[in-house]
Amino acid sequence: MTGTPERIRVLIADDQPLVRRGLALILAPDPAFEVVAEADDGQQAVDLAHRHRPHVVVMDIRMPVLDGVQATERITRELPACRVLALSTFDMDEYVVAALRAGASGFLPKDVSPEELSAAVRTVHTGEAAVAPRLLTRLISTYVTTPHRPQSPPSVPVSDPGELTPREIEVWHLLATGLDNAEIASAMGISVSTVKNYITSIFAKLSVRDRAQAVIAAYESGLVEARSTNPAG
């Protein structure tokens, strides 16, 4: 007899009651999800995350008391099994990069469709990054090297990139310039499954948790430069 799959436990954090309720109404009817709590500021999100242990927190990044970036950093540090999906009013928002630095596994604009929201929650729950590769690269290339950005946690700590093999560095570079796995496979003449194996190894060697942090690390290490697709050096 096959058991019922575990529902994805979701906490929604947004200081606007209508937005918060709307997100809950999108997810709650789907039997794959269970909305376990709603928070109206970042501190409450942290407290409720500890109390309810959600699988995914859907987090507005601009909130009072404790903003979404700081709340994301605390939740991902204190509850490492919990994934955070950041919400922003705008696609191009430097606070989104701050949230990705802090440990968010992806982001969505607030005008996202119900189908996109559901798909993104499922994606981050599996440990993948819920953000289009080229949009992720465009965001990071715009804001990572910007001198005036909001106060945020320290840059993503990575291990020595010198531990990577030349082939892994090539995959890392292509990933950072916005290619998805199929495009990397085509560019290198290898299979998608081989690309996935390389990426798993890259994440482990760099001590990053997902694609978003790997892209940030590539820009901060100088592997790629802002608004450039050529390797540094």
Side-chain angles (χ1 to χ4, degrees):
M1 181 176 177
T2 304
T4 303
E6 183 182 15
R7 301 173 77 186
I8 300 173
R9 296 165 57 80
V10 181
L11 187 158
I12 296 170
D14 196 297
D15 62 322
Q16 299 179 50
L18 284 176
V19 173
R20 196 168 63 242
R21 189 89 294 262
L23 294 170
L25 288 172
I26 289 171
L27 295 175
D30 189 324
F33 304 116
E34 178 186 3
V35 178
V36 296
E38 298 178 26
D40 57 18
D41 63 58
Q43 183 59 57
Q44 190 177 47
V46 174
D47 294 341
L48 290 173
H50 277 277
R51 185 182 309 168
H52 295 281
R53 301 300 172 108
H55 297 116
V56 177
V57 178
V58 178
M59 178 85 74
D60 180 15
I61 55 178
R62 296 174 184 261
M63 288 190 293
V65 184
L66 186 71
D67 70 30
V69 174
Q70 294 171 301
T72 294
E73 190 278 330
R74 284 192 54 188
I75 289 171
T76 56
R77 173 168 48 85
E78 297 169 11
L79 300 169
C82 181
R83 303 291 176 175
V84 174
L85 179 62
L87 290 179
S88 172
T89 304
F90 308 103
D91 281 353
M92 295 299 289
D93 184 343
E94 56 192 325
Y95 281 82
V96 171
V97 174
L100 294 172
R101 287 175 179 274
S105 295
F107 83 94
L108 292 173
K110 284 191 175 181
D111 60 357
V112 67
S113 72
E115 294 77 16
E116 288 171 322
L117 174 64
S118 298
V121 172
R122 286 184 170 90
T123 297
V124 298
H125 178 243
T126 67
E128 297 293 325
V131 54
R134 284 190 173 81
L135 180 55
L136 174 64
T137 296
R138 185 160 61 96
L139 261 170
I140 292 171
S141 68
T142 300
Y143 293 117
V144 162
T145 56
T146 300
H148 302 294
R149 58 174 177 254
Q151 186 174 5
S152 61
S155 301
V156 176
V158 298
S159 300
D160 181 6
E163 296 178 5
L164 299 180
T165 67
R167 201 68 163 158
E168 288 169 343
I169 290 173
E170 185 178 358
V171 171
W172 186 25
H173 175 258
L174 293 173
L175 179 156
T177 55
L179 273 62
D180 62 25
N181 290 356
E183 290 168 331
I184 293 171
S186 177
M188 296 181 66
I190 57 179
S191 69
V192 172
S193 62
T194 300
V195 171
K196 290 179 179 178
N197 290 337
Y198 276 129
I199 290 175
T200 298
S201 177
I202 290 164
F203 288 178
K205 289 182 178 180
L206 295 178
S207 300
V208 298
R209 63 186 287 172
D210 57 33
R211 200 179 198 98
Q213 291 196 341
V215 175
I216 291 173
Y219 278 87
E220 293 187 332
S221 71
L223 179 71
V224 289
E225 296 178 353
R227 290 171 291 279
S228 170
T229 57
N230 296 319

